[in-house]
Amino acid sequence: MTVRENIRRIRQERNLTQRQLGEMVGASEAYIRAYESGRRNPKPSSLEKIADALSVNPEVLANSDFDGIKAIHRLFQIFRQYDGQLFEYQDKDGNDMVGISFGTLSLMNSWLDRYNQYMEEVEECNKIKDVKKRGEALLKAEADFNLWMDIYPESEPFPMNLQIQKTHDEFMDKMGFNPKE
């Protein structure tokens, strides 16, 4: 999704009008409309204010607009920095797949936990016989999972000790396991 699409999506999830969001960030409704339509691109400082007003991590807005080539290069960076390993496996339908593990990216555990919760919710939704109610439940489960990702790490049920992760990463840097370009 593009920056503009994410601003609109998250604003609407928060049940805010363009005017209300504008008031929260000290901008006019016209500016918010221009950001959402793509006529204007918010400056980094404006993007920070918008992210703060929407209670999301600025990364959700700032780095959301990339194509497949940029995506793979971001994965390459994470792969290098966090002791990445590739492996082959077959999915439940027997299709050949490639997976990535990140040996030193301990923050991934909470993502896996939340993803597994989401998949359990999807299974429960699929048991609903009424098509309309099943569709609504699936959309809600997906929206809740997206919200978790948008506001991470604040979405964690316990306070994340990011200092431990920072200390771990600094140690790995000193040991030469997190090469920097």
Side-chain angles (χ1 to χ4, degrees):
M1 296 184 105
T2 65
V3 173
R4 70 184 185 89
E5 290 169 332
N6 277 327
I7 292 172
R8 178 183 300 122
R9 174 180 63 84
I10 296 167
R11 176 185 59 77
Q12 290 174 340
E13 285 173 1
R14 304 293 190 273
N15 294 314
L16 295 170
T17 65
Q18 291 174 334
R19 170 182 244 156
Q20 290 168 324
L21 179 57
E23 289 171 358
M24 293 169 75
V25 300
S28 69
E29 178 181 353
Y31 267 89
I32 301 300
R33 193 176 320 110
Y35 293 156
E36 290 185 3
S37 70
R39 289 191 320 267
R40 295 185 84 109
N41 290 318
K43 295 177 184 174
S45 60
S46 296
L47 208 54
E48 287 249 351
K49 289 178 184 176
I50 293 169
D52 187 50
L54 295 172
S55 299
V56 298
N57 188 304
E59 292 293 310
V60 172
L61 302 176
N63 292 318
S64 58
D65 192 13
F66 54 88
D67 60 19
I69 298 298
K70 287 181 183 176
I72 196 75
H73 281 279
R74 286 184 183 173
L75 283 172
F76 292 162
Q77 290 171 324
I78 297 167
F79 183 87
R80 286 185 191 112
Q81 186 169 345
Y82 292 100
D83 191 27
Q85 303 291 317
L86 294 176
F87 57 92
E88 293 180 81
Y89 70 99
Q90 287 189 337
D91 68 10
K92 63 182 179 186
D93 298 323
N95 298 311
D96 291 332
M97 306 293 285
V98 174
I100 305 172
S101 69
F102 301 107
T104 62
L105 192 57
S106 61
L107 296 176
M108 295 287 283
N109 291 328
S110 60
W111 187 14
L112 177 61
D113 291 344
R114 184 58 183 92
Y115 176 76
N116 286 333
Q117 179 186 339
Y118 167 64
M119 294 310 294
E120 288 172 12
E121 292 169 3
V122 168
E123 282 183 37
E124 288 301 310
C125 292
N126 285 327
K127 293 177 184 176
I128 299 172
K129 299 209 184 300
D130 183 289
V131 175
K132 183 178 178 184
K133 288 181 181 177
R134 180 175 55 239
E136 290 169 351
L138 285 167
L139 288 174
K140 182 179 181 332
E142 182 180 20
D144 290 348
F145 184 53
N146 282 330
L147 175 63
W148 180 90
M149 290 187 287
D150 287 343
I151 64 174
Y152 181 85
E154 288 79 14
S155 54
E156 287 300 284
F158 56 89
M160 295 281 302
N161 191 339
L162 296 179
Q163 183 58 41
I164 291 173
Q165 180 67 37
K166 182 179 178 192
T167 302
H168 176 267
D169 289 346
E170 288 170 354
F171 172 77
M172 295 302 282
D173 290 343
K174 287 179 186 172
M175 297 299 293
F177 294 123
N178 285 346
K180 305 278 192 272
E181 303 278 342

